[in-house]
């Protein structure tokens, strides 16, 4: 069985006509995890799996381009044609009240817990989901934000979420088979990687492969990959919707 990541979307900070915001589907055997639920990703998710078959949802942080489609997923789970128990949802502290704040339209709080079985993330959190183990690390994004290392079948894949370069991400990604790292910024700053930063993080972690994602709108993904290659000598790919990357 392969540990694989399929790109549902990678646009920032809003969708293009053809590319949804950040979202990925992790698979290993029969285990399926939706990782980040950015604007527009619920649609393409259903090309690959039914909501009934999801084992969990994992959210890196609460910016809308990584979490907004949880809102429509709530309606799908409670008021449409989906029949299943609440989906395990791993997300930053306060995620339940954030969802309820938007979804509540009267004096009674919307029952978000009827749709999602919520676990709040923290630095070092570990969860077994089907055949996968998800280990979370706090990262630097100016708000509660997390990266995750996914391990299954002796393989590993690490996702940065949104973050500036930071020691916790480098440690999380140590010798990972695939590092999926954001490269939103064209110049260094305190909340995002540049493509060169992504290359440096991959090199410092001794990652076996780098996939740049969440590239800023002033760069093409191809340009970001070339810039990352100045700092990282290993194989580099870039995320596009529909692409699948396999660990190992």
């Amino acid at each position: 069985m392969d540990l694989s990541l399929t790109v549902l979307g990678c646009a920032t900070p809003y969708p293009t006509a053809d590319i949804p915001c950040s979202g990925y589907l992790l698979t290993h055997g029969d285990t399926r995890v939706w990782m980040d639920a950015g604007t527009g990703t619920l649609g393409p998710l259903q090309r690959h799996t039914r909501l009934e078959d999801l084992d969990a949802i994992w959210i890196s942080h609460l910016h809308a381009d990584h979490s907004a489609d949880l809102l429509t997923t709530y309606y799908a789970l409670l008021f449409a044609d989906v029949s299943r128990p609440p989906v395990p949802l791993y997300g930053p502290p306060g995620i339940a009240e954030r969802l309820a704040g938007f979804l509540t339209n009267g004096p009674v709080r919307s029952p978000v817990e009827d749709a999602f079985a919520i676990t709040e993330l923290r630095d070092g959190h570990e969860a077994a989901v089907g055949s996968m183990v998800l280990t979370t690390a706090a990262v630097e994004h100016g708000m509660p934000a997390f990266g995750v290392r996914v391990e299954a079948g002796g393989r590993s894949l690490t996702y940065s979420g949104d973050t500036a370069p930071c020691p916790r991400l480098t440690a999380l990604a140590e010798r990972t088979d695939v590092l999926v790292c954001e490269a939103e910024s064209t110049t260094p700053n305190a909340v995002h990687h540049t493509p060169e930063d992504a290359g440096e993080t991959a090199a410092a972690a001794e990652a076996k492969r780098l996939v740049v994602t969440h590239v800023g709108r002033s760069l093409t993904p191809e340009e970001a990959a070339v810039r990352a290659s100045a700092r990282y000598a290993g194989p580099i790919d870039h995320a596009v919707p529909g692409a699948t990357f396999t660990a190992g």
Side-chain angles (χ1 to χ4, degrees):
M1 294 187 293
D2 291 329
L3 173 60
S4 298
L5 175 145
T6 297
V7 181
L8 307 174
C10 52
T12 176
Y14 62 94
T16 71
D18 302 309
I19 305 175
C21 288
S22 290
Y24 310 88
L25 177 65
L26 290 163
T27 58
H28 181 256
D30 293 331
T31 302
R32 296 170 175 85
V33 175
W34 184 9
M35 188 171 69
D36 274 351
T39 316
T41 55
L42 177 57
L45 174 73
Q46 295 170 84
R47 295 193 185 109
H48 306 282
T49 189
R50 304 184 309 159
L51 286 174
E52 290 93 332
D53 297 328
L54 275 181
D55 292 280
I57 303 171
W58 185 94
I59 301 295
S60 63
H61 65 291
L62 293 179
H63 281 152
D65 60 333
H66 293 257
S67 63
D69 269 21
L70 291 176
L71 302 173
T72 45
T73 301
Y74 167 85
Y75 289 109
L77 293 171
L78 294 190
F79 306 116
D81 56 349
V82 179
S83 177
R84 58 159 299 155
V87 181
L89 171 61
Y90 299 90
I95 188 171
E97 293 311 310
R98 179 70 70 87
L99 292 173
F102 185 92
L103 293 164
T104 299
N105 297 300
V108 179
R109 178 184 181 276
S110 288
V112 295
E113 290 82 3
D114 289 351
F116 305 109
I118 297 171
T119 298
E120 291 190 347
L121 295 172
R122 55 175 172 76
D123 186 45
H125 182 272
E126 187 173 292
V129 179
S131 58
M132 300 179 192
V133 176
L134 282 64
T135 303
T136 293
V139 294
E140 300 295 329
H141 193 49
M143 64 183 298
F146 300 91
V148 65
R149 183 184 181 106
V150 183
E151 297 178 304
R155 302 295 186 183
S156 65
L157 184 148
T158 303
Y159 170 55
S160 67
D162 277 9
T163 178
C166 62
R168 284 196 185 103
L169 176 61
T170 302
L172 186 71
E174 183 176 3
R175 297 183 181 275
T176 192
D177 289 300
V178 181
L179 171 60
V180 181
C181 189
E182 67 112 300
E184 195 273 345
S185 294
T186 56
T187 57
N189 65 63
V191 294
H192 285 291
H193 278 65
T194 65
E196 290 82 1
D197 290 333
E200 287 189 0
T201 294
E206 299 183 45
K208 297 176 184 177
R209 184 180 184 187
L210 172 63
V211 178
V212 293
T213 191
H214 200 59
V215 173
R217 298 173 79 91
S218 63
L219 287 177
T220 68
E222 293 84 358
E223 289 169 340
V226 169
R227 287 177 55 166
S229 70
R231 308 288 177 87
Y232 173 68
I236 301 177
D237 296 291
H238 59 83
V240 292
T244 295
F245 301 99
T246 299

